[in-house]
Amino acid sequence: MSKPKIGVIISSTRPTRFGDKPAKWIADHAAARGDIDVEIVDLRDYDLPLFDAPASDAWMPTPNPVAAMWQAKLNEFDGYIFVTAEYNRSITGALKNAIDWAYTPFAKKAAAFVGYGSVGGARAIEHLRNIMVELQAVPVRQGIHIGGSDFFPIMMGQKTWDDVKANFDGFAPDLLNNLVWWTNATRNARAADAAQKVA
């Protein structure tokens, strides 16, 4: 069986966003393991309208071609790392809308989280964990939280991500170890389900 594939999702589409930097950082950590394949997925590459389908893709084929491309990309992965900003104590609108366009690709797969903001994106990640449960995904306990003391000096131009990223290197192995464990567990279970349907 091929190595599991993890998608690192950048959840902000703003011109001045920060999320692409920790996304590349965690993707590099993940790729260095050697036991998973990793790809960064940028919501900027999918010009999704506000969700307006008659129903979720869990119930009917998606009529929007861009949303269908988004779903197809997500279907390539066995697990996910969401890199999310915190907007008004929750996830970005762009991420919530993208998730609303894609229910089934997340089902029975593992998800981990990297957040940033005044409290390390903790409130956004808690919302995202609940959303993942509704999608029948498996949110891992571990998260990486880039808090205000590191994030705001970057936002104000006083520091760069390169100045502070080493502060978070020690948290990456635990997050990735648990993500890979659950990714393998859910992948094997999905394969067993598929084999049973064929038999």
Side-chain angles (χ1 to χ4, degrees):
M1 187 179 282
S2 61
K3 290 188 288 188
K5 188 173 182 181
I6 302 296
V8 178
I9 299 174
I10 306 174
S11 71
S12 174
T13 58
R14 295 171 64 189
T16 57
R17 71 182 182 185
F18 166 72
D20 54 316
K21 296 170 183 64
K24 182 181 183 307
W25 167 81
I26 195 64
D28 288 345
H29 273 280
R33 294 174 58 95
D35 59 349
I36 52 176
D37 290 326
V38 185
E39 181 181 341
I40 292 177
V41 182
D42 193 339
L43 289 188
R44 281 185 181 173
D45 295 333
Y46 300 89
D47 189 17
L48 294 163
L50 288 175
F51 180 73
D52 60 357
S56 161
D57 61 302
W59 300 104
M60 61 172 286
T62 294
N64 184 280
V66 178
M69 289 172 52
W70 163 241
Q71 293 166 11
K73 171 53 68 176
L74 292 174
N75 280 327
E76 296 177 11
F77 301 107
D78 299 297
Y80 308 93
I81 302 171
F82 291 91
V83 179
T84 184
E86 182 170 309
Y87 290 1
N88 299 316
R89 299 193 178 219
S90 191
I91 61 174
T92 69
L95 178 58
K96 181 60 168 67
N97 186 57
I99 291 171
D100 289 342
W101 276 111
Y103 182 104
T104 57
F106 295 111
K108 299 178 181 178
K109 297 179 184 177
F113 312 96
V114 176
Y116 56 95
S118 60
V119 289
R123 295 166 297 201
I125 287 175
E126 285 307 302
H127 282 186
L128 189 49
R129 289 182 194 279
N130 284 334
I131 293 167
M132 288 294 107
V133 170
E134 175 61 24
L135 302 187
Q136 302 182 60
V138 182
V140 303
R141 175 185 178 276
Q142 290 70 22
I144 295 174
H145 301 274
I146 303 166
S149 61
D150 288 303
F151 173 64
F152 286 119
I154 295 171
M155 189 173 69
M156 301 302 292
Q158 298 161 343
K159 291 184 179 180
T160 69
W161 173 239
D162 288 338
D163 294 327
V164 302
K165 64 183 181 181
N167 297 344
F168 303 95
D169 287 341
F171 299 104
D174 194 33
L175 179 142
L176 292 169
N177 286 340
N178 282 277
L179 174 64
V180 170
W181 194 97
W182 283 104
T183 295
N184 284 323
T186 53
R187 187 189 194 207
N188 291 337
R190 291 196 314 276
D193 284 350
Q196 190 173 38
K197 287 179 183 177
V198 171

